[in-house]
Amino acid sequence: MDVAALTLLALSLPFVGALVAPLLTRLLGHNAAWILALFPAAIVLHFMRFWPEVSRGEVVTGGYEWIPSFNVSFSWLIDGLSLTFVLLIAGIGTLIVLYSGGYLKGHPQQGRFFSFILMFMGSMLGLVVSDSFLMLFVFWELTSITSFLLIGFDHSREAARRAALQALVVTGGGGLLLLAGLLVIWNVTGVTQLSLLMSFGPEMRASPFYLAALLLVLGGAFTKSAQFPFHFWLPNAMEAPTPVSAYLHSATMVKAGVYLLMRLNPVLGGTPEWQMLLPLFGGATLIIGAVLACRQTDLKLMLAYTTMASLGLLVMLTGLGFPHAIEAAALYLVAHSLFKGALFMVAGIIDHETGTRDVTKLGGLRSAMPLTFVIALAAAFSMGGLPPFFGFLAKEEIYYALPSLDRRAMVFAALAILGNALMFAVAFAVALKPFIGAKVETPKSAHEAPLLLWLGPALLAAKGLSAALLSNLTHELVSTPMATAIAGEPRKITISAIPDIGMPLVLSFATIALGIVCYLNLTRLRAFIATVLTDIGWGPDRGFDQFMRGLVRFSVALTRRLQSGRLDVYMTVTFVLVAAVLLGAPLYYGELPRAPFFAGDVPLHELAIMAIAVIGLFAVVLAADRLTAIVSLGIQGFAVAVIFLLYGAPDLAFTQFMIETLSVVVLALVMTRLRLSPSDHRPLAQTVPDLTIALACGIGFGLMLLKVTGVPFDASLTDFFNLYSKTIAHGANVVNVIIVDFRGTDTLGEIAVVMVTGLAILSLVRLRAGSLRRIADNDPDAEDRA
């Protein structure tokens, strides 16, 4: 099997696992996790084979054509950026599946959860390897759908349902903005593949549509990666089970927006707009997330808000445009995935074994859970940026990229120091406060977690250490190729776990000192932030509820106005729109040709037929009773049919004769239920508007037809049908061939519509007949009155 087929198989493995997960769980219980974890593990093994090419700076592409005529393909792009994401998604996904086996042990819906988490994994993998625009968008939206299923997994709780709906609305709406942005980029560059797009950076940045494309792409990225003011859905997503939170925050959906910005940096980056918007929103998100994290007491919420802050830091670094900022973003993304996944799983272990996640109600767990304490401390060291963990390398690279005499650099350096210090305090609050101090009684008797629970965080914490100690190998295989792909040009990362004496180290000490101060005063800081938020009152989360309520009210009001339940209103609105469009369009697009009638070259017999049609019109309007009006309706139709016949279209004329005859007969039969003798007289207030609309529609159609007939005739379609009707469809009657063969599906649809309409009419007739019989049984004179 070739590499392309193996890659396609690897990308489909999570979806295969999702199909078999319920059956395996039914057979093996929570131990099914060991087998299901083999699916993402196999993905890791397959994609590791691309390391040699990618580490040399090469790009691997492949795939299959899907719709060649529209240049749409199912294709993938594997470089340093996508390969790093794949290994994080599949590698951490393997540990999350194992962790889920222990965390949800005994849950009646564990099989369903395994299916959802594997589908989520497959969606994210498809997103980061997509080369095709369409493939990228499909997987982008699929991550929103699968995250909706995971966040709302415990659907019996209203809070879970609200959080799932909120995440779907925000990220799904952002996906539509992304689609529009991709269409703009396609329109400017003419390419639909990311691998080809990378060479169109100058053209894209010089385009007058650049700002529109940038804002639309940022709308998709900011909503997905929870940038302020779209951040509110991310903490609410903590209603999901802890395995979802750990996976969502470490390696999957929330980093999709960051991935998109990094991927498009060579095309959209480097402009004043890019370097203003990304650092502005990223910096705001960093500080707001870090501050709100200090406000929380729930372990998961503390970590959730620090994830928001970390995403802001990544967006800020991606957009700064300073030397080495891209390298810092690459290092921090990997470091964050490792320590955040570990800390979330530690929070889940504490909750699972003690029955609470409230940090103020925990303490003294070190003796009961020593292994969990060591894991938490190792992950906190990395998150706090302490040596010799990988988070230290990332923090040092951040400060290496920022210090400068430039005022802008100093501002963002200050933001980075403050944000990192607050996250330092939260990291050690999660890792120390539940374990040290006097033992606190918890709802459940605390004890060490089983293997399935501690294996994942232990491996991630160990990886955070080994990646730093083996920094040369890590940079060669991961960091340098990733930074090269983001920058669109060769980059090299050399930072190691041994700190260099200089300004970055000074800023690190300042961060650690400020972080220790915040940690020691966390209770007072929490109370102060709570007071400020109470004084502010309103927030984006409440704004979302207000927006949704307003949207529902507006929809109800609009529906009541448009769907009033009255047929005359529907017909009036329809005809007004038709008259406006058809009457206005010809007037705005050039001069109208002179009608043959006004040119004086219409034969006398055609004028006579037109006169008959006009007489029929007046006969309908001036009819003394309803029956006369019904019969007079066919005059215009028959006149038009005669014109078709005179102009050499006997089949069309025959159809028109049949339609007009059936219309008159059917209408007369229907109207026999009413008294046909009186005529209908309406007040002037109703007659004048209806007359105006009718005239406008008639004039509009006339102008449209004049405009159409004034266009030079294009015989290409006629020639095509004449040429191929006999040779392809084997029919001499071109009209029949068009209807039956070339438009076979259209004709089938029309037949289906007629059939459904006939069945509906038959049902109504039988229903009315049955009702009349029941009425007649009780009142013999009722049917006559009806």
Side-chain angles (χ1 to χ4, degrees), residues 88 152 228 258 476 509 592 738 771:
L88 288 173
F228 177 83
V258 174
E476 179 185 351
F509 277 122
L592 293 173
I738 293 173
S771 300

Side-chain angles (χ1 to χ4, degrees), residues 67-120:
I67 311 175
S69 57
F70 286 96
N71 196 24
V72 175
S73 61
F74 187 89
S75 54
W76 49 79
L77 165 65
I78 301 171
D79 59 3
L81 178 61
S82 57
L83 182 59
T84 301
F85 266 92
V86 166
L87 296 177
L88 288 173
I89 294 165
I92 297 178
T94 302
L95 302 178
I96 290 294
V97 171
L98 294 174
Y99 183 83
S100 303
Y103 191 85
L104 294 173
K105 180 181 178 180
H107 195 288
Q109 297 296 326
Q110 190 175 33
R112 179 166 66 95
F113 180 85
F114 279 136
S115 289
F116 290 168
I117 202 77
L118 287 168
M119 285 193 294
F120 184 52

Side-chain angles (χ1 to χ4, degrees), residues 542-553:
R542 184 182 298 179
F544 174 81
D545 291 335
Q546 294 169 344
F547 169 77
M548 293 301 294
R549 285 194 296 268
L551 183 63
V552 170
R553 291 187 184 126

Side-chain angles (χ1 to χ4, degrees), residues 39 60 152 264 281 323 457 463 477 507 597 602 651 771 785:
F39 288 91
V60 180
L264 295 179
F281 283 92
K463 187 62 180 174
L477 296 178
L507 296 181
F597 178 81
V602 180
D651 49 352
S771 300
R785 291 198 301 273

Side-chain angles (χ1 to χ4, degrees), residues 633-715:
L633 279 175
I635 296 177
Q636 297 91 339
F638 278 99
V640 173
V642 173
I643 293 176
F644 289 156
L645 191 63
L646 293 175
Y647 276 85
D651 49 352
L652 192 58
F654 176 75
T655 303
Q656 181 75 11
F657 282 129
M658 293 295 296
I659 292 296
E660 291 300 327
T661 301
L662 288 175
S663 297
V664 172
V665 172
V666 170
L667 187 59
L669 290 175
V670 171
M671 295 294 284
T672 54
R673 293 289 181 179
L674 303 175
R675 289 183 300 161
L676 300 179
S677 54
S679 61
D680 293 312
H681 296 287
R682 293 183 297 163
L684 192 64
Q686 294 181 8
T687 304
V688 172
D690 290 347
L691 177 63
T692 303
I693 294 173
L695 290 174
C697 287
I699 295 172
F701 274 110
L703 292 175
M704 183 192 70
L705 292 174
L706 288 175
K707 185 66 177 179
V708 170
T709 55
V711 176
F713 180 69
D714 184 0

Side-chain angles (χ1 to χ4, degrees), residues 267-318:
V267 181
L268 300 177
T271 64
E273 297 87 349
W274 178 274
Q275 295 177 358
M276 178 186 69
L277 292 174
L278 268 68
L280 177 64
F281 283 92
T285 306
L286 166 63
I287 299 304
I288 293 173
V291 169
L292 293 178
C294 296
R295 162 68 181 87
Q296 308 304 318
T297 59
D298 184 295
L299 293 175
K300 283 178 63 175
L301 283 177
M302 294 168 72
L303 294 172
Y305 278 108
T306 58
T307 296
M308 170 186 159
S310 297
L311 294 171
L313 180 58
L314 286 169
V315 171
M316 184 180 80
L317 291 171
T318 304

